[in-house]
Amino acid sequence: MHNDHAQGILDGKVVLVTGAAQGIGREVARVAADQAACLVLVDRAEQVAQVAEELPASAKAVHVLADLETWAGAEAAVAYALEQFDRIDVCINAVGGTIWARPFEHYDPEKIQAEITRSLFPTLWMTRAVLPSMKAQGAGTIVNVSSIATRGINRVPYSAAKGGVNALTSALAMEAAADGIRVVATAPGGTQAPARTIPRGPGPEGAQEQQWMQQVVDQTVDSTLMQRYGTLREQAEPIVFLASDAASYITGTVLPVGGGDQGM
């Protein structure tokens, strides 16, 4: 069994995964464990402990609670990872997700602020927090989870946040390449996921918001060539590929994973 494990494309790598309690982050943790990674699972929800426990015994997995919408949370998560493993080879930033669905003029200022805080800042803070140790070791890979919703309806603040993730990816890739650091991203399309154990927001506020959300779903499916949502596994596998040495000559790239919808 150990020999099979040694074939994993993340064998021996210390991989930090944010948003690991559910959704794409959780699936990435599972796939990375199958690929022999040592894992640091980060989330602000206590369910992250259960995710760590569910991984195979052969996966060296630890977990830590942190609110990555704050710099202090990101700094603490990185410090914990370095205490546990002395290095971070890969940082996968999977925290984010639209909270409300509505035309832009129906977002009040507090909602706009909340969307940016949720879907841009955790990636910005984590990237900044993990960079010094990667520079010191002269190697590292950052994989950001963006979205094809940069071209989509009823989610303008979220779209703006993900556009920020794309720009962070390309600009930092240019800056960090000389230090042996790759910075890449995937842009997931619509993804089927089980009911969220930790809700993203208050839920649709009545029939009007239900209708706005349905418009998002319809537009997302219509924009794909495959005319369907993807699975969590279909999102996680490309992320793990980009994190691995198989992608060693790829940096600054945002890979659309949206059934043919390229986003923008």
Side-chain angles (χ1 to χ4, degrees), residues 71-221:
W71 165 246
E75 207 175 22
V78 168
Y80 176 80
L82 293 173
E83 276 166 26
Q84 296 293 311
F85 292 110
D86 291 323
R87 61 186 291 121
I88 299 167
D89 298 300
V90 179
C91 177
I92 298 172
N93 292 310
V95 170
T98 189
I99 309 170
W100 296 279
R102 52 188 59 201
F104 192 35
E105 69 270 21
H106 291 281
Y107 278 90
D108 59 44
E110 291 74 21
K111 284 185 170 61
I112 293 169
Q113 186 79 54
E115 294 279 8
I116 301 296
T117 302
R118 168 74 55 83
S119 290
L120 175 58
F121 273 97
T123 297
L124 204 58
W125 292 142
M126 277 304 301
T127 303
R128 172 62 184 81
V130 82
L131 204 54
S133 66
M134 287 184 172
K135 282 191 74 159
Q137 68 202 24
T141 303
I142 295 167
V143 187
N144 297 325
V145 180
S146 181
S147 175
I148 56 165
T150 45
R151 185 176 175 277
I153 61 165
N154 293 356
R155 293 176 289 176
V156 164
Y158 172 71
S159 301
K162 291 302 193 176
V165 170
N166 292 350
L168 162 66
T169 300
S170 57
L172 184 59
M174 185 175 270
E175 210 176 281
D179 292 300
I181 298 166
R182 295 189 302 114
V183 188
V184 289
T186 66
T191 304
Q192 293 169 333
R196 299 178 68 84
T197 52
I198 310 111
R200 274 189 181 146
E205 295 168 12
Q208 177 62 82
E209 196 165 30
Q210 292 272 14
Q211 187 185 349
W212 287 332
M213 181 49 89
Q214 191 57 49
Q215 288 170 354
V216 170
V217 172
D218 294 345
Q219 178 258 302
T220 300
V221 173

